[in-house]
Amino acid sequence: MLKRFATIILIALFTAPNLPAQTAGLKLPPFKKAKLKNGLTVLLLEQHDLPLISFSFIVKAGSTADPAGKEGVAALTASLLRKGTKMRNADQIAADLDFIGAQFFGNAGLDFTSGRAEFVKKDLAQGLEIFSDCLLNSAFPPAEVEKLLKQNIDGLKSAKDQAQGVIGEYFNAYLYGAHPYARPTSGDEKSLAALTRDDIAKFYESYYTPSNTIMVVAGDFNTAEMESLLGSKFGAWPNKQAPTVNLPEPQPVAGKKLLLVDKPDATQTYYQIGNVGIARSNADRVYIGVINTLFGGRFTSMLNDALRVSSGLTYGASARFEQRKARGPFVISTYTRNATTEKAIDLTLEILNRLHTQGVSEKDLQSAKNYIKGQFPPTIETSDQLANLLASLEFYGLDERDINDYYKQIDAMTLADAQRVIKQYYPLDNLVFVLIGKASEIESVAKKYAPKLDTKNISQPGF
């Protein structure tokens, strides 16, 4: 039903782009929230459009729970969930999943570890058996641990050959300093070399507990039957208290500072500029999304228009606010040739300043509102997308009002709101710069942007 409703909205938006603000809104289908006796939080959302059932889980521990010096352990633990249990080896798990055309993946981010599985309705019993086996009985076979560690170390070396693949890690580390958000989710050369199977097993035993887990099921099922089925599969999962993840509130950097990462063979300079931004629960997040759409969130944004379309300095420029449990970064990202580094950074800062001095027009504001309302519905169409959405809302302490009131909040935004958001959330004087490029050609340029200049060579371990 939601998919059909979203389609209607899309047709209206694309056939009448100049209409006044849309007053209709999306509404999440009803779902049930329950908690098993062992503390496992369960959310159940019936969707009968297709004979598919999607599972999404969140374990409330991501890379911010990695012990110091063991960065990457949360990510490795998640990746190894389908690489062996007490009953199946990795090949058997892959073959069993393939036999029923099912999917199962695990992944760790900064705030939490997540995973998803999806089965055709007729294969629910087999699919849920494999999924629960992987989640509850992970064995972390030594050979699989060794293989994955080697792959990750090789992947890190390859990533450092491509500046765009690691500049985010350098930016986070430089921006957040000693805060847990500075940690590289996938680890670095030192931490990966120090990790053992015991570290992974210890992380799993500590944090993969029912009271530290959110389970969401969306798709073609009966709620009462699914609740009973989950009870039979996960009800015996023994509970214990997971360690508390210490996540202090990060503070924005005062003034300006710059990190230059020397990549002697670089022909282009990749750079990110920003500061500490907002948390997922920030009350202005919808308004910020509207402004950022205009500033750097779409192809016709101010940044992309100036840096790519009008000047040809880059193939793409963007800005984003990463919303996390605590305040994530605000980041402007792009790249350019060594010879045009100064011109590109100057223009980037000029556009940021223009956002403050000229603001946005009523026409701009309406355009961004319509764009967001056209882009958003396809992101919550499928059972898999809905399961992920509900799991995320539950983790961040939000509820269905985040979706049900979304259009209403967008439509309510005024030019005065826009001016306040620009002034409050887009820093001009307090900025962190991270550049990866050929230092012998761009260091003199880099010095003009901040009184404090730090340097690294990309061959140095870590970020």
Side-chain angles (χ1 to χ4, degrees), residues 317-388:
S318 64
R320 66 184 183 279
F321 285 82
E322 294 182 15
Q323 298 178 25
R324 303 172 182 167
K325 190 171 185 179
R327 297 175 67 178
F330 157 63
V331 190
I332 299 171
S333 303
T334 189
Y335 61 98
T336 189
R337 291 180 291 115
N338 292 351
T340 54
T341 298
E342 182 176 14
K343 188 175 180 181
I345 296 178
D346 283 350
L347 186 54
T348 302
L349 298 177
E350 180 185 325
I351 298 304
L352 179 60
N353 188 63
R354 190 184 304 169
L355 180 69
H356 280 259
T357 56
Q358 298 183 10
V360 300
S361 68
E362 188 65 61
K363 183 180 178 181
D364 294 335
L365 201 59
Q366 190 58 53
S367 171
K369 291 178 179 180
N370 287 347
Y371 179 83
I372 293 172
K373 290 162 69 174
Q375 294 291 311
F376 183 68
T379 68
I380 56 169
E381 281 187 347
T382 67
S383 296
D384 183 49
Q385 291 168 331
L386 286 167
N388 288 334

Side-chain angles (χ1 to χ4, degrees), residues 170-238:
Y170 282 102
F171 184 81
N172 283 335
Y174 192 57
L175 173 63
Y176 283 101
H179 191 275
Y181 278 168
R183 298 173 185 169
T185 303
S186 298
D188 59 30
E189 295 92 334
K190 287 184 178 178
S191 68
L192 291 175
L195 281 174
T196 67
R197 180 195 173 279
D198 286 348
D199 295 320
I200 294 164
K202 184 177 179 181
F203 188 93
Y204 174 79
E205 292 296 331
S206 298
Y207 292 105
Y208 283 63
T209 71
S211 60
N212 203 40
T213 302
I214 299 163
M215 181 80 66
V216 180
V217 191
D220 191 9
F221 60 82
N222 174 275
T223 295
E225 292 175 359
M226 181 57 71
E227 189 172 0
S228 175
L229 190 56
L230 291 178
S232 69
K233 285 294 179 186
F234 295 98
W237 189 4

Side-chain angles (χ1 to χ4, degrees), residues 3-65:
K3 183 175 181 176
R4 290 195 295 273
F5 184 61
T7 303
I8 292 170
I9 291 289
L10 279 171
I11 291 172
L13 287 170
F14 286 130
T15 55
N18 296 319
L19 285 174
Q22 303 292 321
T23 54
L26 295 176
K27 186 175 182 181
L28 280 176
F31 60 91
K32 180 177 180 179
K33 178 179 176 181
K35 185 167 284 193
L36 302 187
K37 290 181 180 178
N38 60 4
L40 177 66
T41 298
V42 173
L43 287 81
L44 304 169
L45 187 154
E46 291 188 32
Q47 284 281 97
H48 298 288
D49 291 344
L50 294 171
L52 293 172
I53 301 177
S54 299
F55 291 77
S56 181
F57 72 88
I58 279 180
V59 175
K60 302 174 188 174
S63 62
T64 53

Side-chain angles (χ1 to χ4, degrees), residues 137-332:
N137 303 309
S138 296
F140 310 111
E144 295 294 340
V145 173
E146 185 178 346
K147 186 194 301 182
L148 188 58
L149 271 171
K150 183 177 184 308
Q151 289 174 352
N152 285 11
I153 291 170
D154 291 343
L156 180 56
K157 290 177 182 174
S158 298
K160 283 200 167 185
D161 284 337
Q162 305 292 325
Q164 69 269 34
V166 290
I167 190 168
E169 301 288 7
Y170 282 102
F171 184 81
N172 283 335
Y174 192 57
L175 173 63
Y176 283 101
H179 191 275
Y181 278 168
R183 298 173 185 169
T185 303
S186 298
D188 59 30
E189 295 92 334
K190 287 184 178 178
S191 68
L192 291 175
L195 281 174
T196 67
R197 180 195 173 279
D198 286 348
D199 295 320
I200 294 164
K202 184 177 179 181
F203 188 93
Y204 174 79
E205 292 296 331
S206 298
Y207 292 105
Y208 283 63
T209 71
S211 60
N212 203 40
T213 302
I214 299 163
M215 181 80 66
V216 180
V217 191
D220 191 9
F221 60 82
N222 174 275
T223 295
E225 292 175 359
M226 181 57 71
E227 189 172 0
S228 175
L229 190 56
L230 291 178
S232 69
K233 285 294 179 186
F234 295 98
W237 189 4
N239 191 29
K240 58 183 177 182
Q241 189 67 38
T244 300
V245 178
N246 182 29
L247 193 63
E249 186 67 19
Q251 297 302 312
V253 171
K256 293 179 179 173
K257 67 175 187 176
L258 187 147
L259 172 66
L260 173 58
V261 182
D262 184 23
K263 192 173 185 302
D265 63 346
T267 58
Q268 299 182 104
T269 301
Y270 283 80
Y271 64 87
Q272 294 193 343
I273 304 171
N275 209 327
V276 171
I278 64 169
R280 177 69 177 85
S281 57
N282 186 289
D284 286 324
R285 60 189 181 278
V286 173
Y287 291 176
I288 293 169
V290 173
I291 293 300
N292 204 62
T293 295
L294 295 168
F295 178 61
R298 62 180 180 180
F299 187 80
T300 56
S301 71
M302 295 168 65
L303 280 173
N304 202 58
D305 182 65
L307 287 157
R308 173 182 168 133
V309 180
S310 299
S311 66
L313 290 168
T314 182
Y315 285 106
S318 64
R320 66 184 183 279
F321 285 82
E322 294 182 15
Q323 298 178 25
R324 303 172 182 167
K325 190 171 185 179
R327 297 175 67 178
F330 157 63
V331 190
I332 299 171

Side-chain angles (χ1 to χ4, degrees), residues 414-430:
T414 66
L415 281 178
D417 295 323
Q419 291 166 354
R420 177 181 64 79
V421 164
I422 292 168
K423 183 177 181 181
Q424 186 171 346
Y425 295 102
Y426 286 84
L428 278 177
D429 299 323
N430 302 315

